[in-house]
Amino acid sequence: MIGSPDVVAFTKEDDYGQSNPDPWPALPEEFSIPLYPPVDSNPWSKTSYAKFTKDFILISEFSEQVGPQPLLTIPDEPKVCGTFDLNYFSLRIMSVDYQASFVGHPPGSGYPRLSFVEDSRVVLGDSKEGAFAYVHHLTLYDLEARGFVRPFCMAYVSADERKIMLQFQELSLRFSQASECLKAGNRRAFAKELQRKLQDLEYTHSVLQREEGLQREAGPQTRYSAHAVEKANELANVEKSIYEHRDLLKQITSYHRRPREDEMEEDEEGVRRRPSYTPQLIRAKSAKCFDKRLKTLQELCDERFYEASMELLKETERSFRGDLCYLHTCRLDRALRKKQTLTNFLFEEEVCDNNEDEVIIRPFCPVNHSVESSTPLDGTAEPFSETSHTLESELGPGESQLESSPSDHTLETQDSSEETKGSYSSGNSRTKQPHYLDTVKSEVPDLDSDLTPDHERESSSEDMETTVGDDEGDNGDHTPMSLLEPNGECEETPVEVCESDLLLPIDTTCCMAQDGFIYEDLSVDIAAESQHNTSAQPPQTLVVNQEPQALHLLQDHYTVGSPSKSSGLELPVGQHADSVSRMSVEDGSDCTMSASTGSDRAVSPIGYAGVVTLRQKKKAGQGALRFVRQYPFAMQALWCLLSGRTLVVFGEDEGRVRKLVSALALFVPGPGKCAERVQAWMSGPFSLSDIYRWKLIGLQRVTSPVGSSTLYSLSRYSRYISILDIDQKTLHCPPYRGQLLSNMANHRTYIRRGSTYFLHLQSMLCQLAAKAFLLTFTHHLHLPVSSEEGTEVVQGRRHCFLQEQLGLGEEDSQILLYLSQLITQYYLQPPTESCTAPPCFFFKYTTSVLYKI
Amino acid sequence: MLRWILGGREAQSSLEKSSVLCIGEEQPQNCFTELQVLKGHFDIVRFLVQIDDFRCASAGDDGLVLVWNIETGEKLQELRGHSQQITAITTFVCRSPLTAQILLITASSDRSLSLWDPDTGNRVQTISDLQSSVKCLLVLERLCLCLSGGEELCVWNKDFQLQCHQQNHSDTGIFVLIELPKNCVAAAMDKEIVIYRLTVSANSSFSLTDMHHLSDHRDQIRALINVNDNIFATGSHAGELILWDAIDYNILAYEHILWEESQSASEIRVGPSKPSEMSIQHLCSNGKLVLAAVGCGLYVYSVLTKTVVAYRKVAHDSNVLHTMLLSDSELMSCSEDGSVRLWEIQDLPLPAEPASAAGFFGLLTFGRGSKQTGPPSKKVFDVPNLKMLELIGDLIGHSGPIQMFVSFKENGLVTCSADHLLILWKNGERQSHLRSLALFQKLEESGSL
């Protein structure tokens, strides 16, 4: 069936590996950058003729009525696709249909059989459109569809072929998850539908039987009338139909549990939990019309599963933003940062300690099956004691399930595709499984709460032999992804949704390296939003993909970059752009930067609010750039922060102070995970402990007599602090004449964008941290080499190292010495260990001078 | 300084008036460049006592006694038991032939005495329902005895058994006790010093005999210290400093510190100065020098020459509460103004060059007020070898009066204050070096080196 000439040959992993050998074999693999082939001299040549601006995910279906048609795109906005013809592309991707999903009456079987088919994955390109796509085909069951199946496909569409090829593994992994989630939801919905249909049929059957009985009573003369024969035929048809549906139901419910012996008792349990449903009479001439409405994708799936899978896809889209180079750089960055655990606390994000690397090589398809199939087993076997499961009991059925893979029930075509896919799976898949399951289990929200209402309404207990289709009583099909779904409380408080997102094992384990921050990002951003305008945010924005407008709203909350811009590095457009302009006028800054800065409110969460995210940091980069350009003494202020002298930002207007504090927080070494060393806003006098605890303080200037005590404390502790007065635009701090920071705080910098400046800063700070690391761990700079050396010699050597080898002056050395102190302390007393000793506070007795603008 | 930030003219002048002495932020001789804030008390911390080289105990009005490791700043023990404020604390070394165990004795307003083991935090002994609260404690290590003074003077052995006691007839009671040679103790009560002799009878029972009453002070005695084996010193509320012979109890020297004379030359003085301005709050000595905290000034007196060596009338903005002689030339004082100041006794520039002297003073950032106290002082005392008390550093951190401090030499300095905090001041350079050592040690242990 694969007819497209453009289908890219991607069958085996090593095919690709051969075509692109590692240029530096000496480098560890995670550090190698895949180079563009030399012929590809123009990096933009590829995207130039694509008709869409950024990558997107397209979901299409092959409708039995109208043929291939696009259903939705992620992100769902018209701008994304531009002039790109989705209909045409849907046709292309659906025409690569794969496995001739056979349904119907197989030879030798009396009843129609459902085929449990594997998804297929393929990469295809359309050179004319300049589009390449990873296409993931799947089928969903629909009772009303032809052969009970509805073919769908999800495609990741990009203009960059290499991006797709290089990310194939992960795309495949992520799409498989989404697909499994969809299919699980679909099985639930399908079983439910079947059950209802069965009830309808049985009801109809009983009605017909009654009618027949009445006829029989009425007299023998009517027994052989045409009407009676028709009735008898109808009854026979209904009976047959009942058997067929029962068989289908058995098939669908036995999807996971075929090897289990104790199926019967489960069923008995299941029967008790059956919801009440009023059966309806089915007319004999059921509407088999061609114009019947087909179920939408949403209707085909259980609601929660649908949402979860959409969430997964969105997440996928988010994490693949940016070009290949960016993705690689991010991954590289993380890999490098993981190597430098000792100095990361200074300026870098915390790297989560997950096994992302292993995830990358993680096999996708068969494992997912086993995950999926083993979890439900537990759920149905012991639905009331979920948490009491041991690891073994979870693993055992999973394994056996894996062996009796669903491909038994498919034809040869599936088997062959199974083989192909199997080649991607690595051997250690099985070993990872327990851990994975374990984490899933441990963090599963109490599913029993779902169950309890069902025990109560165990009223109608008919002799139905099915369980799975039950409304909520069944948690059999709970894939890990299903945990994504917002539960009751979460819908009211958006923050919690994201918090739970953060906790999800599936996310952290299955996402690739670069997207770790996105989770945090998301949560805090939303947390921030919800803090400030909870009322403004309607809870329904969480209900994914209802209306296009709702999605637009979502876009603001859920995206990392601005959705309208193409680059992943783009700063987001703030929601309150008007306040931005006001700010910049007030600050008197040259408004050459792009208008993309947040409002005061968006900046404010730095503080005790939570984890400082990359997004906030980028935003802060904007503020820092403005500060550097605006104040000629910015360098001195930065020096104070970097050399450990507490900086007090003193001003009247809370918004401005907070904004500046969050900008300057970038320069606070070791700010702590939640910026514990930064206090964005305080009023009233402060004490030594405040200076001691916080390295950057926003302080309110009060003109009333109350303010005099603040002034008193400022003057009293002036030796420990530097004071940046943003109303009078002065800085009171020790003089700094060094050169080290001139690159970082260049008043006449050519950098115009906050995100660029942030990256520039990152590199400079990283350099500083590296030097400090060197200083800290160079033995002879701290200890005598021989026994006759005194401390003066060592001191001299250290001095020499700083001055001559690093070329640092007195004041610049202070920065390194301070950073080195922090590293030493961190090494001696990692923050994870509990420590009762209070922290040390270093200072120097030096005179301060007053800088004016 | 900081005028720009204070803005108003009034604030500026008040600042200049209050900062009698301002050293500024450049303090090259001040080695305390690192601090740790020790939190744990809930009320004024009044007492600090050094237990050994790395431990110290603090006690205060909350009745708590906390034991600290001053190397790390960790709180080691919390000794709870007293229901009211602590009035006296001292260490008690119990020497057995093999070991020397250090114990802590505390007295509280709840009229109880407790003996603590600072290693375990256990209360070893306790005596409650005393007739009156104990105001001072004295340990006679030689005899393994402890004396408690208040309205009565009691003698306890190391098991806290009362050996003997002496009722006092003064209303104020004994507020300070020192040990004198020949088994004598001196007790200061009101304007009198009473010398008691402790005698051990044949059946090893003790008795106290009232030997002498020295009543040469005209005002209440505020401080009583041992200077050396032969001399002890007392200071009174009226500014009298008397050096006594410790054996025959004669007055060796009598010095009446009267700031008025130094001020009489200046026009700013209005009326006689209040007695508190010349009250001797605290005395300390290193055997050769006696340092008296007089009002908010400092006064260094040489025992050998029986003359004043150096003095500064306004050393702090407020009353000086505790002083210490670090060496023959360096001293430290703390005050109600919340600062600790480090002083150096420096030679004055030659008196033959008054012009340069004035310039010297000017250079050293003297305030307007203190400039007048410098040169006239020479006239007052007319001592050729009068030296200058120069401020070389100050420690600012507490927000309340600093009650006391204890120095651990190079390991640091602990201050306690009414703001419920203790601050551990350290030499940053030294600490940094120590941390580096620890770092490489840890590296070595983990096998990374």
Side-chain angles (χ1 to χ4, degrees):
Chain A
M1 283 280 282
I2 298 178
S4 169
D6 264 321
V7 171
V8 182
F10 189 93
T11 47
K12 279 187 186 166
E13 209 171 8
D14 35 5
D15 276 358
Y16 186 71
Q18 279 160 15
S19 70
N20 189 26
D22 193 350
W24 299 291
L27 269 178
E29 199 186 342
E30 67 263 34
F31 298 135
S32 68
I33 305 168
L35 294 177
Y36 278 107
V39 285
D40 243 353
S41 53
N42 182 0
W44 288 277
S45 63
K46 289 207 152 190
T47 53
S48 55
Y49 51 87
K51 288 176 180 157
F52 49 93
T53 50
K54 59 190 273 192
D55 300 356
F56 61 95
I57 293 174
L58 171 69
I59 300 183
S60 305
E61 86 154 305
F62 195 101
S63 161
E64 60 193 61
Q65 290 170 353
V66 296
Q69 59 169 351
L71 293 179
L72 58 103
T73 61
I74 295 171
D76 187 9
E77 45 184 287
K79 251 190 267 176
V80 173
C81 316
T83 57
F84 187 65
D85 189 351
L86 287 178
N87 279 309
Y88 175 71
F89 200 71
S90 298
L91 174 69
R92 293 298 300 270
I93 56 179
M94 286 312 285
S95 67
V96 199
D97 202 354
Y98 45 101
Q99 57 209 345
S101 50
F102 177 85
V103 190
H105 297 261
S109 156
Y111 302 118
R113 288 212 68 92
L114 287 177
S115 58
F116 297 103
V117 291
E118 284 298 327
D119 298 352
S120 82
R121 299 156 184 81
V122 72
V123 176
L124 75 97
D126 189 326
S127 42
K128 202 167 90 237
E129 297 274 335
F132 294 87
Y134 163 84
V135 187
H136 193 106
H137 292 100
L138 69 151
T139 51
L140 299 180
Y141 302 114
D142 183 355
L143 199 54
E144 287 152 28
R146 193 176 54 190
F148 305 123
V149 289
R150 301 271 301 271
F152 285 89
C153 89
M154 305 182 287
Y156 185 86
V157 187
S158 168
D160 188 359
E161 178 192 348
R162 290 174 54 83
K163 182 172 170 183
I164 289 179
M165 297 304 270
L166 284 172
Q167 313 290 330
F168 183 86
Q169 293 270 348
E170 211 211 333
L171 278 169
S172 170
L173 172 69
R174 286 168 166 254
F175 275 87
S176 299
Q177 284 169 355
S179 161
E180 287 307 323
C181 191
L182 271 179
K183 288 199 287 188
N186 172 244
R187 278 192 296 273
R188 265 170 91 106
F190 186 60
K192 197 156 70 186
E193 199 190 352
L194 270 174
Q195 271 187 324
R196 295 197 169 161
K197 186 75 185 285
L198 261 175
Q199 281 179 281
D200 288 349
L201 285 170
E202 291 191 351
Y203 177 68
T204 312
H205 184 244
S206 65
V207 169
L208 287 175
Q209 266 185 331
R210 204 162 51 231
E211 282 177 11
E212 198 188 29
L214 284 173
Q215 276 176 357
R216 219 175 281 149
E217 279 173 26
Q221 72 276 18
T222 54
R223 184 175 281 184
Y224 301 105
S225 71
H227 181 67
V229 169
E230 194 186 320
K231 276 279 178 226
N233 281 341
E234 204 177 316
L235 190 60
N237 271 337
V238 167
E239 270 167 10
K240 184 174 178 252
S241 193
I242 285 175
Y243 287 124
E244 278 179 9
H245 280 84
R246 277 197 184 150
D247 190 69
L248 280 175
L249 190 56
K250 204 180 241 170
Q251 285 180 51
I252 195 80
T253 51
S254 65
Y255 176 72
H256 305 299
R257 304 178 281 149
R258 213 165 301 109
R260 293 294 290 250
E261 302 296 321
D262 48 356
E263 198 172 329
M264 291 315 286
E265 58 182 49
E266 274 172 47
D267 281 353
E268 278 165 21
E269 256 181 310
V271 164
R272 286 192 285 120
R273 294 185 279 122
R274 225 176 34 77
S276 58
Y277 168 69
T278 323
Q280 282 158 354
L281 188 70
I282 296 176
R283 295 278 137 229
K285 294 173 192 70
S286 63
K288 269 275 182 187
C289 318
F290 196 63
D291 57 59
K292 71 172 179 201
R293 197 184 70 89
L294 282 174
K295 288 197 186 69
T296 64
L297 180 58
Q298 216 164 341
E299 287 163 336
L300 279 175
C301 286
D302 187 279
E303 178 78 3
R304 300 184 302 170
F305 283 79
Y306 177 78
E307 278 170 19
S309 46
M310 285 304 125
E311 204 48 55
L312 278 175
L313 288 179
K314 276 185 189 154
E315 194 49 59
T316 309
E317 192 270 327
R318 262 197 296 273
S319 65
F320 279 100
R321 274 188 203 163
D323 61 359
L324 192 59
C325 178
Y326 173 69
L327 292 178
H328 270 283
T329 318
C330 289
R331 197 172 307 174
L332 204 65
D333 178 45
R334 278 177 79 88
L336 284 169
R337 267 193 280 152
K338 245 193 241 168
K339 300 264 167 196
Q340 264 300 18
T341 47
L342 270 181
T343 54
N344 277 340
F345 77 100
L346 285 176
F347 300 111
E348 305 279 351
E349 302 278 316
E350 291 285 325
V351 186
C352 353
D353 279 348
N354 283 312
N355 39 359
E356 290 107 355
D357 295 17
E358 297 150 50
V359 171
I360 294 168
I361 53 153
R362 198 194 188 104
F364 43 91
C365 183
V367 171
N368 271 333
H369 264 288
S370 76
V371 169
E372 216 225 15
S373 48
S374 62
T375 324
L377 260 177
D378 301 323
T380 44
E382 293 172 90
F384 306 119
S385 58
E386 284 244 340
T387 46
S388 66
H389 285 298
T390 60
L391 203 64
E392 289 76 37
S393 77
E394 280 172 55
L395 236 182
E399 297 257 22
S400 55
Q401 180 58 30
L402 194 70
E403 275 142 33
S404 69
S405 109
S407 60
D408 303 356
H409 298 264
T410 55
L411 292 177
E412 276 75 31
T413 44
Q414 279 111 45
D415 283 342
S416 63
S417 70
E418 175 77 28
E419 262 175 38
T420 329
K421 278 159 242 143
S423 65
Y424 299 131
S425 62
S426 73
N428 56 354
S429 64
R430 207 69 64 77
T431 53
K432 299 253 160 51
Q433 216 49 50
H435 163 71
Y436 181 68
L437 281 174
D438 195 33
T439 49
V440 169
K441 269 293 172 215
S442 60
E443 304 201 15
V444 157
D446 193 8
L447 289 170
D448 290 349
S449 61
D450 251 358
L451 294 170
T452 40
D454 279 298
H455 308 306
E456 286 155 18
R457 44 170 173 157
E458 42 185 77
S459 51
S460 67
S461 59
E462 292 172 46
D463 52 342
M464 297 303 258
E465 42 185 4
T466 55
T467 62
V468 174
D470 284 357
D471 247 344
E472 298 113 297
D474 164 58
N475 46 24
D477 268 349
H478 272 292
T479 59
M481 285 76 95
S482 68
L483 305 177
L484 271 170
E485 68 210 3
N487 49 36
E489 320 96 273
C490 292
E491 276 182 62
E492 286 146 31
T493 54
V495 189
E496 285 186 23
V497 178
C498 303
E499 300 274 290
S500 66
D501 272 6
L502 269 175
L503 293 175
L504 271 180
I506 183 83
D507 288 343
T508 44
T509 46
C510 295
C511 299
M512 279 184 69
Q514 71 270 20
D515 56 6
F517 61 82
I518 291 172
Y519 288 99
E520 303 166 351
D521 205 356
L522 196 66
S523 74
V524 175
D525 277 359
I526 294 186
E529 284 299 334
S530 65
Q531 269 177 5
H532 295 299
N533 47 0
T534 20
S535 56
Q537 188 178 17
Q540 81 259 17
T541 52
L542 273 172
V543 181
V544 177
N545 197 20
Q546 278 190 324
E547 305 276 315
Q549 302 102 295
L551 262 178
H552 275 295
L553 234 171
L554 270 175
Q555 207 68 49
D556 281 331
H557 300 300
Y558 279 72
T559 49
V560 177
S562 153
S564 56
K565 307 265 172 69
S566 56
S567 159
L569 282 174
E570 208 77 35
L571 273 176
V573 178
Q575 285 182 310
H576 316 276
D578 50 342
S579 64
V580 175
S581 55
R582 180 176 59 81
M583 291 309 278
S584 40
V585 167
E586 267 180 19
D587 293 359
S589 69
D590 36 2
C591 301
T592 46
M593 301 79 145
S594 63
S596 57
T597 55
S599 63
D600 311 345
R601 297 193 287 172
V603 178
S604 51
I606 290 190
Y608 281 117
V611 182
V612 185
T613 65
L614 189 68
R615 179 180 172 181
Q616 284 173 327
K617 284 194 163 185
K618 282 181 181 172
K619 209 176 263 176
Q622 182 73 51
L625 178 62
R626 186 180 295 147
F627 175 71
V628 162
R629 294 169 62 85
Q630 188 182 354
Y631 293 95
F633 48 76
M635 191 152 68
Q636 279 75 16
L638 302 194
W639 174 73
C640 291
L641 289 171
L642 286 170
S643 60
R645 197 177 166 102
T646 302
L647 182 69
V648 177
V649 179
F650 192 49
E652 225 160 339
D653 178 26
E654 179 171 356
R656 286 179 65 198
V657 171
R658 277 183 181 274
K659 206 167 150 64
L660 192 53
V661 165
S662 61
L664 291 175
L666 289 180
F667 300 92
V668 177
K673 205 161 185 161
C674 304
E676 294 94 344
R677 307 301 303 270
V678 177
Q679 171 69 6
W681 182 247
M682 66 181 284
S683 47
F686 55 88
S687 66
L688 182 68
S689 351
D690 298 331
I691 306 173
Y692 183 66
R693 185 159 46 153
W694 297 313
K695 285 291 166 200
L696 177 59
I697 302 172
L699 185 67
Q700 183 181 21
R701 179 198 292 274
V702 190
T703 39
S704 67
V706 186
S708 64
S709 57
T710 308
L711 290 174
Y712 174 73
S713 58
L714 273 181
S715 74
R716 179 169 177 84
Y717 299 113
S718 65
R719 63 176 55 182
Y720 304 124
I721 54 176
S722 302
I723 304 162
L724 176 64
D725 187 329
I726 59 168
D727 298 330
Q728 297 175 11
K729 304 211 186 310
T730 56
L731 174 69
H732 184 255
C733 76
Y736 169 72
R737 291 168 296 266
Q739 290 303 307
L740 189 62
L741 301 183
S742 56
N743 202 6
M744 206 185 284
N746 186 359
H747 188 42
R748 293 179 182 78
T749 178
Y750 289 108
I751 299 173
R752 286 291 180 273
R753 299 174 71 116
S755 51
T756 317
Y757 183 66
F758 171 71
L759 292 178
H760 173 63
L761 267 189
Q762 284 269 291
S763 74
M764 303 299 291
L765 293 175
C766 178
Q767 210 176 347
L768 276 183
K771 283 178 183 170
F773 179 82
L774 192 62
L775 172 63
T776 313
F777 288 95
T778 307
H779 183 275
H780 71 275
L781 298 180
H782 302 278
L783 298 178
V785 177
S786 61
S787 53
E788 60 259 28
E789 270 186 353
T791 47
E792 294 80 21
V793 183
V794 180
Q795 238 164 23
R797 200 156 47 213
R798 187 162 60 231
H799 192 70
C800 174
F801 172 78
L802 288 168
Q803 207 138 49
E804 276 152 42
Q805 278 172 286
L806 298 181
L808 301 177
E810 178 65 29
E811 287 117 5
D812 289 335
S813 304
Q814 277 183 34
I815 298 180
L816 279 202
L817 288 171
Y818 175 65
L819 296 183
S820 167
Q821 288 277 343
L822 290 181
I823 295 172
T824 308
Q825 282 192 325
Y826 184 85
Y827 181 75
L828 291 176
Q829 191 80 56
T832 45
E833 290 174 23
S834 64
C835 174
T836 50
C840 295
F841 175 54
F842 324 109
F843 47 91
K844 273 217 149 42
Y845 297 106
T846 44
T847 328
S848 290
V849 292
L850 184 67
Y851 289 94
K852 287 179 184 158
I853 204 157
Chain B
M1 193 196 64
L2 279 178
R3 200 181 308 163
W4 53 277
I5 213 162
L6 292 161
R9 178 184 293 247
E10 205 174 6
Q12 171 193 334
S13 58
S14 74
L15 184 74
E16 278 185 18
K17 218 195 294 172
S18 68
S19 67
V20 180
L21 198 66
C22 184
I23 185 176
E25 287 161 357
E26 184 91 47
Q27 300 176 8
Q29 282 175 276
N30 188 346
C31 65
F32 296 106
T33 53
E34 187 180 312
L35 62 83
Q36 281 176 295
V37 176
L38 312 183
K39 293 178 182 170
H41 282 286
F42 308 106
D43 209 335
I44 300 175
V45 192
R46 291 191 190 271
F47 301 102
L48 286 172
V49 59
Q50 179 170 359
I51 298 172
D52 48 31
D53 283 345
F54 72 99
R55 283 186 300 173
C56 109
S58 63
D61 286 2
D62 51 6
L64 273 180
V65 180
L66 304 180
V67 181
W68 305 90
N69 178 344
I70 60 118
E71 281 175 358
T72 62
E74 283 169 296
K75 183 162 68 182
L76 298 174
Q77 296 293 343
E78 218 171 279
L79 315 182
R80 292 170 180 273
H82 287 298
S83 60
Q84 286 183 47
Q85 64 203 59
I86 309 281
T87 51
I89 180 168
T90 185
T91 52
F92 187 28
V93 185
C94 240
R95 283 182 209 285
S96 64
L98 290 170
T99 55
Q101 196 192 6
I102 302 177
L103 299 169
L104 279 175
I105 303 173
T106 55
S108 161
S109 289
D110 61 9
R111 292 192 288 174
S112 66
L113 270 179
S114 290
L115 185 68
W116 308 85
D117 183 352
D119 297 329
T120 60
N122 293 334
R123 177 139 72 162
V124 183
Q125 292 284 344
T126 185
I127 306 279
S128 49
D129 55 59
L130 293 170
Q131 283 181 357
S132 64
S133 71
V134 173
K135 290 183 179 170
C136 57
L137 291 165
L138 175 68
V139 169
L140 304 175
E141 279 185 24
R142 200 164 34 86
L143 302 170
C144 229
L145 288 176
C146 171
L147 277 72
S148 67
E151 280 172 31
E152 53 178 354
L153 180 65
C154 305
V155 180
W156 313 87
N157 70 2
K158 63 176 180 177
D159 299 319
F160 257 38
Q161 284 156 335
L162 185 62
Q163 303 298 309
C164 61
H165 83 284
Q166 176 98 26
Q167 199 69 34
N168 284 305
H169 308 293
S170 152
D171 325 332
T172 49
I174 300 169
F175 76 97
V176 63
L177 281 167
I178 56 165
E179 185 182 1
L180 295 178
K182 297 193 279 184
N183 284 355
C184 288
V185 292
M189 42 189 129
D190 202 16
K191 296 177 189 175
E192 249 186 2
I193 301 163
V194 183
I195 311 288
Y196 293 101
R197 168 161 290 165
L198 197 60
T199 45
V200 190
S201 58
N203 57 356
S204 77
S205 68
F206 294 90
S207 63
L208 278 171
T209 14
D210 195 337
M211 298 264 296
H212 290 277
H213 285 251
L214 311 174
S215 34
D216 292 281
H217 276 294
R218 280 178 291 177
D219 207 336
Q220 200 179 354
I221 296 168
R222 285 297 176 94
L224 168 65
I225 57 157
N226 285 103
V227 174
N228 52 35
D229 286 347
N230 301 318
I231 302 170
F232 68 94
T234 53
S236 80
H237 189 66
E240 302 155 296
L241 173 67
I242 300 178
L243 262 57
W244 308 86
D245 191 310
I247 294 154
D248 54 18
Y249 317 119
N250 291 326
I251 295 180
L252 292 176
Y254 178 92
E255 188 78 37
H256 198 175
I257 302 165
L258 289 168
W259 300 123
E260 287 98 328
E261 288 173 39
S262 67
Q263 286 222 325
S264 60
S266 66
E267 303 92 89
I268 41 171
R269 185 182 155 266
V270 275
S273 56
K274 279 171 271 167
S276 68
E277 282 183 20
M278 50 189 185
S279 160
I280 295 179
Q281 311 282 343
H282 188 259
L283 284 172
C284 72
S285 170
N286 61 357
K288 286 176 269 180
L289 297 173
V290 173
L291 173 60
V294 188
C296 38
L298 291 172
Y299 191 93
V300 186
Y301 187 83
S302 167
V303 177
L304 302 175
T305 59
K306 308 236 180 342
T307 51
V308 59
V309 176
Y311 76 98
R312 189 177 281 280
K313 181 185 175 283
V314 188
H316 279 274
D317 296 340
S318 193
N319 278 345
V320 178
L321 295 178
H322 194 83
T323 56
M324 187 168 63
L325 278 160
L326 297 173
S327 68
D328 280 351
S329 65
E330 281 186 318
L331 48 113
M332 209 184 271
S333 61
C334 69
S335 143
E336 282 175 1
D337 65 8
S339 67
V340 175
R341 290 188 167 170
L342 307 162
W343 306 87
E344 193 174 44
I345 302 168
Q346 292 176 345
D347 287 322
L348 269 184
L350 290 175
E353 296 169 78
S356 72
F360 188 49
F361 280 118
L363 271 179
L364 284 162
T365 65
F366 264 62
R368 226 183 297 151
S370 57
K371 217 179 247 178
Q372 285 141 349
T373 62
S377 63
K378 274 175 278 174
K379 283 181 235 154
V380 175
F381 291 97
D382 201 24
V383 190
N385 55 354
L386 184 67
K387 292 180 187 175
M388 207 173 64
L389 207 53
E390 198 51 54
L391 182 63
I392 56 167
D394 60 348
L395 309 179
I396 290 179
H398 285 294
S399 55
I402 298 180
Q403 300 288 337
M404 198 177 173
F405 57 81
V406 165
S407 171
F408 284 80
K409 304 283 188 314
E410 70 270 22
N411 282 330
L413 173 81
V414 188
T415 57
C416 68
S417 156
D419 62 4
H420 312 177
L421 299 178
L422 277 81
I423 297 185
L424 184 51
W425 304 84
K426 288 177 172 181
N427 183 337
E429 204 121 308
R430 188 185 133 84
Q431 293 302 314
S432 150
H433 178 65
L434 291 176
R435 275 192 291 267
S436 283
L437 286 180
L439 175 128
F440 285 105
Q441 198 178 347
K442 188 174 173 184
L443 271 179
E444 202 161 15
E445 280 165 12
S446 64
S448 316
L449 204 67

